[in-house]
């Protein structure tokens, strides 16, 4: 019913002679190609497209690219995508223009009716409004598929007009869902990155304390402890190369600083370990200084950031030795 309502809304505006009369040969050829691409979709037991295996996802990706090209060839109205101007840089790379830019990930969220997912061990639920818009898009998607199946049987002029209206109806609901879904993902990702933002700010605060009061001052030691606690929390979320410990306090680091401050002749194992502890700690600090100006480019799934994981693993290993 939702899909039919959207089609009626769009059909009222679909009276273009170029697509609904006088050009049936070209339009029929375009829709015939689209019907053929639709026929290559892999369908699951519930008659919905199968996006859970590689072949199904590939066939669906081919279809939505054909759908986008067909909509352009048929002169179908493009729903406004002006909202993309407010996307973060990562999403502007995925959706670089105001054109349709259909993405399989958006369709999958709709078809699979995703309502919750886990990021860095935390579960997030999509809002009711996003779920409703996803259901509306799903209805439009199913309606277009039914019109394509009907057109493959009848090839009637009225069915051709229904296909065109259904394409525009889907584009409208797709845009509405994409906007709300991506905006919600952006909020979730901002929350997921917050521990990295906190770490970058704490590292900066530690530098200021060391410059103002000296690296051995009480203020600097307290700042190191707070930063180390933040790093330990981050390590438990992102460090997939080792244990992901959450108890990495600064005591080991302070002992390492002390060991290096004591002058001894020759080399010993304790000094070598202390040097490794300080080296891995300094590498972590340098990392947060580097990313402070480009935090939004970080993958919100923190374990996907190879540079971060590598430095966390080195810190955990040296901490355990110390």
């Amino acid at each position: 019913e939702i899909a039919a309502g959207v089609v009626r809304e769009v059909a009222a505006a679909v009276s273009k002679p170029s697509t609904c009369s006088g050009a049936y040969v070209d339009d029929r050829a375009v829709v015939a190609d689209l019907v053929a691409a639709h026929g290559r979709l892999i369908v699951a037991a519930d008659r919905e497209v199968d996006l859970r295996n590689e072949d199904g996802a590939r066939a669906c990706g081919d279809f939505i690219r054909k759908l986008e090209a067909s909509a352009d060839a048929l002169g179908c109205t493009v729903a406004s995508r002006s909202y993309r101007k407010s996307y973060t840089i990562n999403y502007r790379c995925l959706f670089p223009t105001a054109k349709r830019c259909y993405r399989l990930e958006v369709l999958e969220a709709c078809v699979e009716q995703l309502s919750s997912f886990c990021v860095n061990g935390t579960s997030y639920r999509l809002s009711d409004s996003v779920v409703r818009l996803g259901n509306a898009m799903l209805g439009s998607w199913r309606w277009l598929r039914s019109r394509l199946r009907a057109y493959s049987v009848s090839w009637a002029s009225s069915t051709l007009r229904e296909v065109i209206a259904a394409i525009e109806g889907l584009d409208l609901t797709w845009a509405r869902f994409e906007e709300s879904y991506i905006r919600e993902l952006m909020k979730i990702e901002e929350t997921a990155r917050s521990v990295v933002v906190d770490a970058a700010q704490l590292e900066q605060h530690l530098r200021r304390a060391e410059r103002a009061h000296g690296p051995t001052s009480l203020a600097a030691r307290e700042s190191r402890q707070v930063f180390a606690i933040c790093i330990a929390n981050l390590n438990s979320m992102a460090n997939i190369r080792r244990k992901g410990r959450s108890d990495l306090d600064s005591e080991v680091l302070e002992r390492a600083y002390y060991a290096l401050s004591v002058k001894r002749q020759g080399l010993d194992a304790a000094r070598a370990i202390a040097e490794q502890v300080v080296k891995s700690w300094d590498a972590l600090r340098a990392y947060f200084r580097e990313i402070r100006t480009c935090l939004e480019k970080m993958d919100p799934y923190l374990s996907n950031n190879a540079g971060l994981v590598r430095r966390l693993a080195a810190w955990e290993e040296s901490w355990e030795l110390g």
Side-chain angles (χ1 to χ4, degrees):
E1 294 179 1
I2 294 174
V6 172
V7 169
R8 285 195 296 271
E9 177 185 339
V10 173
V14 178
S15 57
K16 301 185 289 292
S18 61
T19 57
C20 293
S21 64
Y24 289 144
V25 175
D26 291 340
D27 289 356
R28 286 181 189 278
V30 170
V31 175
D33 285 345
L34 185 59
V35 168
H38 179 263
R40 291 189 289 272
L41 290 174
I42 298 175
V43 180
D46 59 359
R47 298 190 64 188
E48 193 51 81
V49 291
D50 188 353
L51 298 172
R52 298 187 180 183
N53 68 74
E54 186 176 342
D55 291 337
R58 186 184 302 110
C60 198
D62 291 342
F63 174 72
I64 61 175
R65 283 189 291 272
K66 174 63 72 174
L67 173 61
E68 189 169 348
S70 299
D72 290 340
L74 292 166
C76 294
T77 301
V78 182
S80 173
R81 264 77 172 182
S82 60
Y83 54 80
R84 289 177 179 165
K85 295 176 182 178
S86 63
Y87 280 1
T88 59
I89 186 169
N90 287 352
Y91 284 110
R92 289 200 300 273
C93 290
L94 294 177
F95 302 94
T97 71
K99 296 180 179 180
R100 293 178 178 85
C101 295
Y102 292 149
R103 299 281 308 184
L104 190 60
E105 298 92 331
V106 175
L107 179 63
E108 182 179 13
C110 164
V111 170
E112 298 291 337
Q113 295 180 290
L114 297 179
S115 59
S116 64
F117 46 91
C118 187
V119 182
N120 303 326
T122 301
S123 181
Y124 296 91
R125 290 191 62 83
L126 296 175
S127 67
D128 291 342
S129 61
V130 173
V131 173
R132 282 196 300 270
L133 290 170
N135 289 336
M137 177 183 159
L138 181 59
S140 297
W141 167 255
R142 288 172 174 170
W143 178 251
L144 172 61
R145 292 189 62 212
S146 74
R147 294 305 85 201
L148 291 173
R149 286 193 294 268
Y151 186 74
S152 68
V153 175
S154 70
W155 298 83
S157 300
S158 59
T159 311
L160 175 62
R161 290 193 292 271
E162 287 180 353
V163 169
I164 293 170
I167 290 173
E168 295 195 333
L170 174 61
D171 187 63
L172 184 62
T173 56
W174 188 304
R176 290 171 178 171
F177 175 62
E178 179 204 303
E179 177 182 10
S180 61
Y181 177 60
I182 298 300
R183 285 190 189 281
E184 196 132 322
L185 288 185
M186 286 163 52
K187 292 179 183 178
I188 291 171
E189 291 172 4
E190 183 178 7
T191 301
R193 291 191 191 97
S194 61
V195 64
V196 179
V197 175
D198 290 345
Q201 292 174 343
L202 288 172
E203 196 286 325
Q204 186 177 36
H205 181 75
L206 172 56
R207 272 187 294 144
R208 290 171 178 167
E210 289 174 336
R211 289 172 181 172
H213 308 288
T216 60
S217 66
L218 176 62
R221 291 198 302 272
E222 289 177 344
S223 292
R224 275 195 293 272
Q225 174 66 354
V226 173
F227 182 45
I229 292 172
C230 181
I231 293 299
N233 183 36
L234 179 57
N235 187 65
S236 69
M237 298 178 183
N239 188 354
I240 57 174
R241 291 178 58 176
R242 290 184 57 82
K243 301 172 185 176
R245 299 181 61 149
S246 60
D247 59 345
L248 309 180
D249 59 28
S250 62
E251 290 184 13
V252 168
L253 178 67
E254 298 300 340
R255 289 200 298 268
Y257 281 139
Y258 176 77
L260 294 177
S261 69
V262 177
K263 293 184 178 180
R264 295 177 181 173
Q265 292 185 349
L267 298 174
D268 57 42
R271 186 174 185 85
I273 291 173
E275 289 175 347
Q276 184 176 340
V277 169
V278 172
K279 181 180 178 181
S280 63
W281 174 260
D282 289 345
L284 258 179
R285 293 188 61 182
Y287 176 81
F288 287 106
R289 288 195 295 273
E290 290 171 7
I291 67 166
R292 197 164 60 85
T293 58
C294 55
L295 287 168
E296 68 173 13
K297 293 183 179 180
M298 287 197 70
D299 193 316
Y301 290 86
L302 299 177
S303 60
N304 290 341
N305 297 282
L308 172 64
V309 173
R310 184 171 62 254
R311 289 166 177 82
L312 288 172
W315 167 239
E316 183 180 288
E317 180 180 7
S318 65
W319 186 92
E320 289 180 336
L321 289 174

